């Protein structure tokens, strides 16, 4: 790797103290207002999820990786976007105590938006359609020429990604209206919907479709041509997506199996009682 490409950037561009300060302040607020609050019950897992999400966000938004993503490598840009959408977002939702999520999302003005746009099929189409359009060369090249468009498009991706993961994780018991089977099928649907852009980036490409990166191809990694960089980006996109969905599937199926085990042997008929091992059939009301 040619580290000389970073020599023209100042230390605060490479390590973004502003980004660090914002994430550090958010972490302090999380600790004071949520962890140490008597209103919420925060587990060690939830704390680990939040701080892992915060660290991951700083790596892709405040470290030299951000410079590489903005100026030198399409695959680095894919790492940035996919880390936020498939690592930071689910970890952030998992870090929320149910009481906090209920207060600021479900019992708030956001409730209507979440109910409308957070419907599984609506969220799936919005998120995967937006992400596919974002990496489509015609739109991507226009977005990269305008910092304002870049911020708007990535903000929209984050919002739709949040709604998509909200449906999968279901952080609040009172809105867990979708069965485990539906949520598992939903993950498979999302995998399929994002397949076209992954195939486009990986297969049958003889030229680069992203001029902003083609012009500096090889500056960061001499052996990484513009086409290879694009193909590497497609591989990274699918790898992060499938790994994240795979972990979600593993957790969902595990919880599903545990719930079925708890139900096994239970008698659901309200007219049946078990007293000291004896089954008693009560008359129907």
């Amino acid at each position: 790797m040619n580290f000389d490409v970073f020599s023209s950037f100042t230390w605060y561009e490479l390590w973004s103290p502003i980004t660090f300060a914002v994430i550090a302040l958010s972490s302090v607020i999380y600790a004071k207002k949520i962890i140490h609050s008597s209103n919420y019950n925060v587990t060690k897992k939830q704390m680990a999820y939040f701080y892992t999400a915060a660290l991951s966000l700083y790596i892709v938004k405040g470290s030299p990786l951000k410079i590489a993503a903005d100026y030198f490598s399409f695959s680095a840009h894919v790492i940035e976007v996919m880390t936020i959408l498939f690592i930071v977002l689910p970890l952030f939702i998992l870090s929320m105590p149910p009481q906090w999520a209920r207060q600021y999302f479900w019992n708030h003005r956001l409730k209507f938006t979440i109910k409308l746009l957070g419907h599984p099929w609506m969220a799936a189409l919005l998120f995967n359609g937006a992400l596919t359009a974002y990496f489509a060369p015609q739109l991507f090249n226009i977005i990269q020429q305008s910092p304002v468009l870049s911020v708007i498009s990535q903000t929209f991706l984050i919002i739709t990604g949040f709604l998509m993961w909200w449906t999968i994780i279901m952080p609040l018991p009172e809105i867990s209206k979708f069965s485990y089977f539906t949520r598992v099928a939903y993950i498979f649907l999302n995998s399929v919907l994002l397949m076209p852009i992954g195939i486009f980036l990986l297969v049958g490409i003889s030229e680069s479709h992203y001029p902003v990166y083609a012009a500096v191809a090889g500056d960061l990694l001499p052996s990484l041509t513009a086409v290879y960089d694009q193909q590497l980006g497609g591989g990274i996109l699918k790898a992060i997506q499938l790994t994240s969905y795979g972990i979600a599937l593993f957790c969902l199926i595990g919880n599903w199996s545990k719930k079925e085990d708890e139900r096994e042997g239970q008698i659901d008929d309200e007219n049946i009682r078990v007293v000291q091992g004896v089954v008693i059939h009560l008359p129907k009301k």
Side-chain angles (χ1 to χ4, degrees):
M1 181 176 291
N2 181 18
F3 291 101
D4 291 339
V5 296
F6 297 114
S7 60
S8 59
F9 296 92
T10 60
W11 71 269
Y12 54 84
E13 290 176 313
L14 292 173
W15 296 104
S16 186
I18 295 177
T19 303
F20 178 82
V22 170
I23 294 175
L25 179 61
S26 301
S27 299
V28 171
I29 293 174
Y30 179 81
K32 287 188 174 182
K33 300 294 185 179
I34 298 180
I35 295 178
H36 299 299
S37 173
S38 58
N39 297 324
Y40 312 117
N41 298 318
V42 184
T43 66
K44 290 183 179 180
K45 274 188 177 182
Q46 288 172 323
M47 288 186 278
Y49 291 146
F50 180 87
Y51 291 116
T52 301
L55 178 61
S56 300
L57 184 60
Y58 178 71
I59 290 173
V60 297
K61 282 295 188 181
S63 76
L65 179 62
K66 175 63 176 174
I67 299 297
D70 287 347
Y71 299 101
F72 299 107
S73 173
F74 174 75
S75 55
H77 185 79
V78 172
I79 291 175
E80 175 192 344
V81 173
M82 296 300 286
T83 297
I84 293 172
L85 298 179
F86 287 89
I87 297 177
V88 174
L89 283 181
L91 287 176
F92 172 71
I93 295 175
L94 288 169
S95 73
M96 297 189 303
Q99 304 93 331
W100 187 88
R102 187 176 296 112
Q103 178 181 354
Y104 289 98
F105 288 95
W106 199 242
N107 292 335
H108 196 265
R109 294 175 183 175
L110 292 173
K111 178 178 180 178
F112 176 77
T113 303
I114 292 176
K115 286 183 69 175
L116 176 64
L117 301 180
H119 187 279
W121 316 123
M122 176 71 77
L125 291 174
L126 280 175
F127 173 69
N128 290 285
L131 189 56
T132 299
Y134 178 80
F135 283 119
Q138 295 84 352
L139 188 58
F140 183 87
N141 293 327
I142 295 174
I143 291 173
Q144 292 306 106
Q145 294 174 5
S146 169
V148 175
L149 286 178
S150 182
V151 171
I152 292 173
S153 59
Q154 290 194 27
T155 300
F156 185 76
L157 283 174
I158 290 171
I159 293 172
T160 55
F162 179 89
L163 294 171
M164 185 271 295
W165 279 110
W166 180 281
T167 302
I168 293 174
I169 297 172
M170 290 291 182
L172 298 178
E174 61 265 33
I175 62 169
S176 298
K177 299 177 181 179
F178 307 109
S179 66
Y180 281 104
F181 176 80
T182 300
R183 290 154 71 186
V184 168
Y186 182 67
I187 292 177
F188 280 109
L189 172 66
N190 278 280
S191 300
V192 172
L193 289 176
L194 204 57
M195 191 174 293
I197 189 63
I199 294 175
F200 169 76
L201 294 172
L202 279 169
V203 182
I205 296 176
S206 59
E207 60 180 349
S208 172
H209 293 278
Y210 304 101
V212 65
Y213 296 112
V216 292
D219 286 3
L220 187 62
L221 288 171
S223 60
L224 193 64
T225 66
V227 173
Y228 288 162
D229 185 32
Q230 185 173 300
Q231 292 175 331
L232 178 61
I236 291 171
L237 182 148
K238 294 305 296 182
I240 295 178
Q241 178 211 24
L242 293 177
T243 300
S244 184
Y245 283 157
I247 295 173
L249 273 176
F250 178 81
C251 294
L252 277 177
I253 293 174
N255 291 335
W256 188 2
S257 176
K258 187 184 298 183
K259 188 173 182 179
E260 291 300 319
D261 289 341
E262 291 174 355
R263 285 181 177 178
E264 188 175 350
Q266 292 182 357
I267 300 175
D268 296 328
D269 193 333
E270 62 179 5
N271 297 308
I272 294 177
R273 299 291 185 271
V274 179
V275 179
Q276 295 182 349
V278 179
V279 179
I280 301 175
H281 295 265
L282 301 176
K284 294 183 178 181
K285 297 180 180 179

